[in-house]
Amino acid sequence: MTTRRNTLGVFFFMTLLGFGLTSKYGPCKVKCRSLGLRRCSKICRIETCDTIDMTCWKTCSASINGPDAADHLRRCIQQCKVGKTCEAACNKTGFTRILKLKGYQEGPVFTKDGQFYTVLPWIGEIHRVDLENKQSSVLVIPSVDGFKGLPVGLQNDPEKNIWLADGRLGLLKMKQDGSFNQVATKDNKNEPMQGCNDLIFDYHGNLWITAPFGPIAPNNLTESRTVPFGSVYCYNTTTNEIIKVATGFLYPNGIAVQHDSNGTPKKLVFGSSFNISAPLWSFDIVGPCQIENKQVWGNLPANHVIDGIDFDENGNLLVTEYSSGILYVFDSNGGAPTCQLKMPMGHSTNIEFRPNSNEFYITGDALLKLQWKYNGMKKYWEIA
Ligand SMILES: *[C@@H]1O[C@H](CO)[C@@H](O)[C@H](O)[C@H]1NC(C)=O
Ligand SMILES: *[C@@H]1O[C@H](CO)[C@@H](O)[C@H](O)[C@H]1NC(C)=O
Ligand SMILES: *[C@@H]1O[C@H](CO)[C@@H](O)[C@H](O)[C@H]1NC(C)=O
Ligand SMILES: *[C@@H]1O[C@H](CO)[C@@H](O)[C@H](O)[C@H]1NC(C)=O
């Protein structure tokens, strides 16, 4: 999750007129019309999911005039297209819009019994979403001792419990009837638990959690946006220990685990929002809740805000960028993104693959469905 108060630059912009139909670049249409041209929709057409650099567009289109204006507009669109667009079902039937809610959604998760949940962080609600009927209902608004939660990330375990990473309440274990308990207020060193953001089970059942917030309620909410006090926890569900395995990061956010071909957890990867070089950090996993060898695994372009991250079964990492609604894709070695997809939404927060499927759901200021080239990486509950 990243918050509404995001101030980092938004460099990209694209408009889809008529949801999921042909795509036109909005700023181009405005310019085209102001020049008194006709057939602006055609002139300003772009491929769905292509990204146009706004700054480039402004510069390129500023002086357009005269008889060649239409050609110039077309040329500017070509010239200002950035990144390689990933192969995906980016066409008029490719996208399905499930929901558009007030505020943004986050933390999408499928459970073992086929339910689908999301959270609305700033409203504090956990929602059960009926994907077929495109309806959403509140499961619970968690609070502890009168302090309302800031629910952000969800995961499911083999017993169908829902685990919630919460910015105000830490880690909650929840049943699907909405009842829950707060797992801990202190870590194993007796230090106050920090507020959490996202979480993932590795295939050995250890739960890895990012914690970009300061101490949980009753403390006031603080965030590691400018001071790097963000941490990563590992929760051992057998010994009930919450272990702070790393700290000193700016806003640790989405988190994922790479496994070797035997299903042994190999690498922990997580994003750092609000670091201008937009790094994904990695550690080698060397034992249960044990990591070493901190490295920069990859970077998004500067000033981008990494939010959710998820592997597909081919080892590609899909990364949502909050401020532009662009999905970036890395291969299994990290480095720089290999391709990108501009989603027809302003902000994107997280993705979740339908189990055994290449269909993924992306949250943000809407909930959309799209098909990817590969299936998602299996979750712990699918292999346990
Ligand atoms: C659009 O995407 C859908 C879903 O993947 C696919 O079935 C269909 O063939 C595509 N249509 C076109 C025109 O490419
Ligand atoms: C928990 O800790 C024990 C003892 O170190 C270890 O054997 C186990 O693999 C850890 N993880 C889980 C999920 O039980
Ligand atoms: C939280 O913030 C309020 C308003 O700024 C302040 O009055 C209160 O003392 C703070 N509480 C704690 C526990 O820091
Ligand atoms: C930001 O990320 C870079 C790696 O891309 C790292 O070297 C730097 O220390 C990070 N800054 C902070 C304040 O964490």
Side-chain angles (χ1 to χ4, degrees), residues 269-333:
V269 180
F270 59 94
S272 170
S273 314
F274 307 111
N275 176 329
I276 55 166
S277 68
L280 290 149
W281 294 100
S282 75
F283 284 87
D284 298 335
I285 299 175
V286 295
C289 289
Q290 288 163 40
I291 56 173
E292 57 187 40
N293 191 22
K294 174 183 168 184
Q295 285 186 311
V296 174
W297 187 81
N299 292 87
L300 284 193
N303 285 313
H304 282 49
V305 183
I306 296 170
D307 204 330
I309 73 173
D310 242 318
F311 282 108
D312 70 18
E313 68 172 8
N314 253 40
N316 300 299
L317 187 72
L318 282 62
V319 177
T320 53
E321 203 281 330
Y322 176 75
S323 56
S324 64
I326 297 173
L327 184 79
Y328 288 91
V329 180
F330 293 79
D331 68 24
S332 56
N333 300 313

Side-chain angles (χ1 to χ4, degrees), residues 84-373:
K84 180 170 171 276
T85 306
C86 307
E87 284 171 52
C90 278
N91 65 35
K92 59 175 155 189
T93 53
F95 282 105
T96 309
R97 191 202 318 242
I98 312 289
L99 286 172
K100 181 129 179 77
L101 295 176
K102 262 191 275 161
Y104 72 92
Q105 301 168 70
E106 164 80 275
V109 71
F110 277 101
T111 60
K112 192 176 178 176
D113 50 354
Q115 300 290 341
F116 185 80
Y117 295 89
T118 61
V119 299
L120 275 73
W122 297 98
I123 304 170
E125 297 173 347
I126 316 290
H127 279 230
R128 177 183 279 153
V129 181
D130 177 344
L131 294 171
E132 220 140 86
N133 295 309
K134 301 186 177 180
Q135 277 167 358
S136 177
S137 58
V138 180
L139 172 70
V140 60
I141 303 178
S143 71
V144 172
D145 298 334
F147 290 99
K148 214 172 120 183
L150 176 61
V152 198
L154 299 176
Q155 283 300 325
N156 186 234
D157 72 13
E159 284 76 50
K160 306 189 199 84
N161 299 300
I162 296 170
W163 295 79
L164 165 65
D166 190 291
R168 291 283 277 145
L169 307 174
L171 180 64
L172 304 188
K173 182 180 179 181
M174 196 169 276
K175 293 213 170 75
Q176 289 191 50
D177 63 7
S179 63
F180 65 88
N181 66 287
Q182 190 177 34
V183 173
T185 54
K186 303 258 171 84
D187 66 19
N188 69 329
K189 296 254 170 70
N190 216 27
E191 293 193 5
M193 187 81 189
Q194 287 178 242
C196 302
N197 193 316
D198 222 333
L199 70 183
I200 188 77
F201 280 102
D202 69 28
Y203 286 176
H204 288 175
N206 298 293
L207 182 58
W208 303 88
I209 311 157
T210 50
F213 301 99
I216 57 172
N219 293 282
N220 286 333
L221 186 74
T222 53
E223 302 176 291
S224 54
R225 279 171 179 248
T226 50
V227 182
F229 61 75
S231 302
V232 179
Y233 290 112
C234 182
Y235 178 56
N236 183 317
T237 49
T238 309
T239 61
N240 283 327
E241 271 188 308
I242 299 245
I243 304 155
K244 191 178 280 188
V245 291
T247 191
F249 297 93
L250 288 174
Y251 213 102
N253 204 330
I255 187 163
V257 174
Q258 272 183 335
H259 298 82
D260 67 15
S261 52
N262 303 320
T264 303
K266 192 175 72 175
K267 221 175 249 293
L268 183 70
V269 180
F270 59 94
S272 170
S273 314
F274 307 111
N275 176 329
I276 55 166
S277 68
L280 290 149
W281 294 100
S282 75
F283 284 87
D284 298 335
I285 299 175
V286 295
C289 289
Q290 288 163 40
I291 56 173
E292 57 187 40
N293 191 22
K294 174 183 168 184
Q295 285 186 311
V296 174
W297 187 81
N299 292 87
L300 284 193
N303 285 313
H304 282 49
V305 183
I306 296 170
D307 204 330
I309 73 173
D310 242 318
F311 282 108
D312 70 18
E313 68 172 8
N314 253 40
N316 300 299
L317 187 72
L318 282 62
V319 177
T320 53
E321 203 281 330
Y322 176 75
S323 56
S324 64
I326 297 173
L327 184 79
Y328 288 91
V329 180
F330 293 79
D331 68 24
S332 56
N333 300 313
T338 55
C339 64
Q340 64 193 48
L341 292 171
K342 172 69 184 88
M343 295 290 141
M345 62 209 300
H347 297 291
S348 57
T349 54
N350 226 323
I351 72 159
E352 168 83 350
F353 279 95
R354 182 185 280 281
N356 276 314
S357 157
N358 68 342
E359 185 178 291
F360 74 73
Y361 292 78
I362 182 160
T363 51
D365 47 20
L367 173 61
L368 306 179
K369 181 174 87 172
L370 183 68
Q371 284 181 15
W372 180 235
K373 259 161 76 177

Side-chain angles (χ1 to χ4, degrees), residues 6-76:
N6 170 44
T7 50
L8 291 180
V10 180
F11 298 114
F12 303 104
F13 179 73
M14 187 192 95
T15 314
L16 288 181
L17 291 180
F19 181 83
L21 296 172
T22 33
S23 311
K24 294 118 195 171
Y25 186 51
C28 174
K29 267 196 99 174
V30 172
K31 181 81 187 177
C32 182
R33 289 218 172 102
S34 76
L35 291 166
L37 298 175
R38 293 164 63 194
R39 308 177 65 184
C40 287
S41 292
K42 196 160 174 222
I43 292 168
C44 296
R45 179 170 297 170
I46 61 172
E47 295 300 319
T48 310
C49 293
D50 278 357
T51 312
I52 311 294
D53 183 321
M54 177 82 123
T55 314
C56 167
W57 169 261
K58 278 186 180 155
T59 313
C60 184
S61 63
S63 60
I64 292 179
N65 221 326
D68 293 336
D71 284 342
H72 273 168
L73 288 170
R74 285 197 196 94
R75 237 176 287 142
C76 284

